[in-house]
Structure formats: C-alpha cells, structure tokens
Amino acid sequence: DIVMTQSPDSLAVSLGERVTINCKSSQSVLTSSNNRNCLVWYQQKPGQPPRLLFYWATNRESGVPDRFSGSGSGTDFTLTISSLQAEDVAVYYCQQCDSVPFTFGPGTKVDIK
Amino acid sequence: QVQLQQSGPGVVKPSQTLSLTCAISGYSVSGNSVAWNWIRQSPSRGLEWLARTYYRSQWYYEYAVSVQGRITINADTSKNQISLQVNSVTPEDTAVYYCGRQFRGALDFWGQGTMVSVSS
C-alpha cells in the first residue's frame, strides 16, 4: 500500500497569513496512463464530509477560492493557502488515487492564532 | 446536481451484519467515467478507503485487503444506488461511513455520512 504522510500535524496562523501543508507519498503517484500525479486534496470541517479542493495535484475544483493552490510532483506535494481566512479553519487531507487501496494522509489541522 | 443520500442503522451488535445504502440522484450509477466508493472515518484509523464499484461494459469491484472477505459493495441500477455490507462486525468497525463518487481520481461528491456504532 502507498503510505501518505503529512506535515505538520497542526498549525495556527494569524488571519491573512500564509499556510503551507506538505504531503508525501511512499512511492510515486505519477499515473502512467495519463502522466498526471494522482494526488487529491480535501478540506473537512466538523460534522461534514470532506470537500474536494484539488485533483491531479494542481487542478482546483470549481468553487474553490483561488487563495488555495496545489503543487508538487512524484512523491512530494504542497497545499498552500496564500491568505488565511476564518472560514479556512478545518482539517486538510491528501489522498493518493494512483493505486488501490486508495490511501489518505492523517490530516493537518489548521486554526487561527 | 449530484446528490448522495445515505441510509442505514446507527447501532449494530457485534458479530452481526452492517448494511448501508447510498441513493444517487443527478447521475447514473452506470455512468462509465465514474466509480462509486465507500470510505469510513474513525479517530483511530483516520480516513480509510473500503471499496469501489464501477461500470465499464461490465461491473467491476475492488476492496481494501484489510476488510476483504468481510465486505461487499453492490450497485442497483433499478434504484440507482449502491450498498455496502460488512459481515461479522466488531467494535473496530465503529466509524462514520461515507459513500462517494470518484471522478478524475477524486471523490467529488460525498454522502452526508452515517455514524455506525458496534455495541451490544
């Protein structure tokens, strides 16, 4: 199975500050069929299912604010929030979709300082 | 708009069978560019992918090894829904269970979640 790790476990930053979350996979998630990184980012708020933010590592889902960005390739990926807003308080997860079983990172909790 | 509506019991006794249903609206369960998944979430195991099914001229089924042999995913085209059955449940199966549509590799639509407790 591909193991997904995230760092940090949690962070608290001031409103308007930049947030960077890292995700690492135990092996490359570059999909040979379409030469894309099969890496997904989700945001989850309490009592809600996860919400899709990015697919193929860098493709922003419709409706996601452009202060969110996704980057990375191979085994190392990053989710960035350029200017933290109050509504961004949540847990963020990465997930690999390259091979079954699909696996998720443990999550990064983002809070306001 | 795609919507997934889950139903099923909130409490199941140990050794019994858990059955969950996910009714799909706004999209055909037989659509040939998507897959339908079950995922669960617990404090101890985090988000855990369990199974998926999809139609590509025939139905395909894939399972997590950790639960293989105990779980079954099915699609019902007449009701446009998927289901999950977990046999011989133990307290370790206590979790919030979600169904989700997978498109371009990502789970873009999710059910509301069903909290399932395994308890006598």
Side-chain angles (χ1 to χ4, degrees), chain B residues 40-55:
Chain B
R40 66 184 179 186
Q41 185 174 29
S42 64
S44 58
R45 303 164 80 107
L47 284 162
E48 181 184 14
W49 176 83
L50 298 175
R52 72 170 178 171
T53 184
Y54 54 94
Y55 185 76

Side-chain angles (χ1 to χ4, degrees), chain B residues 37-105:
Chain B
N37 295 250
W38 285 99
I39 307 98
R40 66 184 179 186
Q41 185 174 29
S42 64
S44 58
R45 303 164 80 107
L47 284 162
E48 181 184 14
W49 176 83
L50 298 175
R52 72 170 178 171
T53 184
Y54 54 94
Y55 185 76
R56 304 288 186 270
S57 302
Q58 66 180 64
W59 285 99
Y60 292 87
Y61 308 91
E62 293 177 302
Y63 297 96
V65 172
S66 61
V67 291
Q68 196 161 18
R70 275 205 311 131
I71 72 170
T72 304
I73 184 172
N74 270 314
D76 185 335
T77 55
S78 65
K79 296 181 179 178
N80 208 47
Q81 66 183 29
I82 61 169
S83 62
L84 178 73
Q85 190 167 290
V86 184
N87 299 323
S88 305
V89 298
T90 73
E92 288 216 336
D93 294 311
T94 293
V96 178
Y97 286 75
Y98 294 103
C99 58
R101 188 186 84 160
Q102 186 178 24
F103 178 57
R104 296 178 294 202

Side-chain angles (χ1 to χ4, degrees), chain A residues 42 44 49-50 55 93 97 102, chain B residues 41 47 49 98 104-105 107 110:
Chain A
Y42 301 95
Q44 187 178 31
Y55 58 94
Y93 296 95
C97 51
F102 304 127
Chain B
Q41 185 174 29
L47 284 162
W49 176 83
Y98 294 103
R104 296 178 294 202
L107 294 157
W110 294 66

Side-chain angles (χ1 to χ4, degrees), chain A:
Chain A
D1 298 2
I2 298 177
V3 177
M4 306 299 292
T5 56
Q6 289 182 233
S7 62
D9 295 337
S10 64
L11 72 163
V13 304
S14 302
L15 289 171
E17 293 295 301
R18 187 181 192 89
V19 171
T20 301
I21 298 170
N22 299 301
C23 172
K24 190 173 182 70
S25 56
S26 60
Q27 62 193 69
S28 174
V29 296
L30 184 65
T31 301
S32 55
S33 60
N34 61 9
N35 205 38
R36 293 176 183 262
N37 291 283
C38 211
L39 190 285
V40 185
W41 286 101
Y42 301 95
Q43 174 194 66
Q44 187 178 31
K45 297 180 179 180
Q48 297 181 17
R51 171 197 179 193
L52 173 62
L53 297 178
F54 290 89
Y55 58 94
W56 292 331
T58 61
N59 290 71
R60 190 182 298 107
E61 177 71 345
S62 176
V64 174
D66 61 6
R67 63 180 179 273
F68 289 89
S69 62
S71 63
S73 182
T75 61
D76 292 278
F77 301 90
T78 301
L79 175 69
T80 301
I81 309 173
S82 61
S83 175
L84 185 71
Q85 304 300 302
E87 60 266 33
D88 301 335
V89 169
V91 180
Y92 293 83
Y93 296 95
C94 60
Q95 176 224 327
Q96 67 81 17
C97 51
D98 180 57
S99 62
V100 167
F102 304 127
T103 46
F104 294 82
T108 295
K109 185 175 182 180
V110 174
D111 217 333
I112 306 290
K113 187 187 291 183

